[in-house]
Amino acid sequence: MEPVASSTIVTLRDVAAASGVSISTASRALDERTASRSAAAAHVRKVAEELGYRRNSFASGLRRGETRTLGVLVPRLSDTVMALMFEEIERAASSRGYFAMVATSGDDPNDERRAAETLLDRNVDGLILATARLDDELPRSLRERKVAHALVLRTDGVSPSALGDDEVGGYLAVRHLIDLGHSDIAVVTGPSFTSSGIARLAGARKALTEAHLTAREDWIITGGYGIENGFSAGEALLGHEPRPTAIFAANDNLAMGVMAAAHRHDLKIGADLALVGYNDTPLAARLPTPLTSVHVPLDQIARTAIDLIVEPGTEPPLRKSMPTLIPRESSGARRVSDGRK
């Protein structure tokens, strides 16, 4: 069979004519969603490949009322966790026959709203948001408009959500430090408008209370999730006496900022200061002092989020994946008791 010249667009009509079938039969044979395994359908697909036919899946989707495309909204892709989360969503979406496109909001509610509308204008079949704030109006608006959506990593407590169990993760981190013999423990956590920051702190407090330890409120620092926020918190905690002997930082960026502050004050991580991070990003194990961190199964969270989009109404709407603690050198060895309560 002579291939059509490269400058010519091969149409479905061309494929049908060359295959000796009707246009509707050719269309059914080439539809990835309903493709037949019959010999006739295989013949149509072989002819289409030889002719260089490229199916317009976007146009086909519009005729069915869908585009097989999902919009993903993250605060920023410069954040390692958000970049990894998008990669896992992209992979999970592809396995279900969807394409994922991403937009960023900078954690600004106005930019988040504009980005969401831009994605919806492109006829995405659903939105996955890693941007949810506890005071966020967007999830409520999406619910009212009956837009298929799922929240990941953060939740507003109402919309369908896929996330790690942040309270359990915070508990595991601080329990680990307590089991190593620490009682002077500080916590550096994320913004108070995020469910993740609040829940990780709640888990940390639970571990302290369970061990009959009283949290010093000046050793509980909330703020952003960036390295610079961790450095500022580290300066506030380590720049004077008394200082904590251990710090739980509620993400690995914060932990790396604390490491920088500790270095500035000539404190050795794992010896002078025990440190635990969160999310177990790829860099955590490769730092000069490998970072103990709470591992969150992003792949599982991504698959759950896709399920919540393509199978709306399934229960429960809020699904939590279990985190695990990965001990490394930064939390140090068990301390010898010095007699303090």
Side-chain angles (χ1 to χ4, degrees):
M1 179 180 297
E2 289 294 326
V4 177
S6 60
S7 60
T8 303
I9 296 176
V10 181
T11 67
L12 183 62
R13 185 181 299 276
D14 296 327
V15 175
S19 304
V21 300
S22 68
I23 292 176
S24 61
T25 298
S27 178
R28 287 194 297 273
L30 296 170
D31 190 336
E32 294 176 356
R33 289 162 51 87
T34 59
S36 170
R37 296 183 180 180
S38 70
H43 172 66
V44 172
R45 290 193 287 272
K46 184 174 185 296
V47 169
E49 182 179 357
E50 291 173 347
L51 290 175
Y53 173 73
R54 184 176 180 85
R55 184 176 179 81
N56 188 337
S57 57
F58 182 74
S60 301
L62 287 179
R63 288 193 291 271
R64 293 191 298 262
E66 60 181 21
T67 61
R68 307 296 288 179
T69 303
L70 299 175
V72 183
L73 195 52
V74 301
R76 57 189 62 81
L77 284 171
S78 58
D79 184 308
T80 303
V81 174
M82 293 300 169
L84 292 171
M85 187 75 257
F86 175 68
E87 288 181 359
E88 293 295 347
I89 290 171
E90 191 175 40
R91 190 174 294 115
S94 178
S95 71
R96 301 290 291 269
Y98 285 81
F99 173 76
M101 64 171 66
V102 67
T104 60
S105 71
D107 252 335
D108 181 281
N110 293 324
D111 288 343
E112 176 195 42
R113 203 157 39 245
R114 282 191 289 269
E117 292 303 326
T118 298
L119 290 169
L120 291 173
D121 286 346
R122 282 158 173 73
N123 296 308
V124 297
D125 295 333
L127 291 176
I128 297 177
L129 312 178
T131 53
R133 304 164 60 107
L134 295 176
D135 58 354
D136 196 349
E137 290 295 311
L138 180 58
R140 180 189 59 78
S141 172
L142 295 175
R143 292 194 299 271
E144 291 176 351
R145 294 159 61 184
K146 301 190 184 308
V147 173
H149 67 285
L151 312 183
V152 293
L153 298 180
R154 305 177 184 177
T155 182
D156 67 348
V158 182
S159 281
S161 305
L163 62 157
D165 194 320
D166 290 305
E167 184 168 342
V168 168
Y171 174 89
L172 290 174
V174 173
R175 183 72 249 180
H176 174 65
L177 293 170
I178 293 169
D179 289 344
L180 290 173
H182 293 276
S183 57
D184 298 329
I185 301 172
V187 179
V188 181
T189 192
S192 58
F193 60 74
T194 62
S195 62
S196 55
I198 289 176
R200 291 170 197 176
L201 176 56
R205 289 186 183 278
K206 180 179 179 181
L208 291 168
T209 300
E210 183 179 87
H212 306 291
L213 297 174
T214 302
R216 285 185 47 159
E217 291 307 313
D218 58 330
W219 284 1
I220 306 292
I221 298 180
T222 61
Y225 273 132
I227 292 176
E228 68 281 0
N229 302 111
F231 180 78
S232 297
E235 284 289 301
L237 292 167
L238 305 174
H240 55 79
E241 295 286 352
R243 60 173 177 79
T245 62
I247 296 176
F248 163 48
N251 81 351
D252 289 353
N253 281 343
L254 288 171
M256 285 186 276
V258 170
M259 281 184 167
H263 178 74
R264 187 169 183 270
H265 292 282
D266 296 321
L267 298 173
K268 184 177 179 181
I269 298 295
D272 302 316
L273 178 71
L275 180 64
V276 177
Y278 203 104
N279 286 317
D280 191 31
T281 54
L283 185 59
R286 295 167 176 81
L287 292 167
T289 303
L291 178 65
T292 296
S293 190
V294 176
H295 178 78
V296 180
L298 298 183
D299 55 343
Q300 183 178 333
I301 291 171
R303 290 193 300 270
T304 300
I306 301 298
D307 288 344
L308 290 169
I309 292 284
V310 303
E311 300 171 15
T314 56
E315 298 291 338
L318 196 155
R319 304 186 195 177
K320 296 180 180 180
S321 299
M322 279 297 114
T324 52
L325 182 83
I326 310 298
R328 298 190 180 99
E329 294 174 23
S330 72
S331 52
R334 182 178 296 275
R335 289 163 58 87
V336 176
S337 174
D338 59 6
R340 289 185 294 177
K341 298 292 185 180

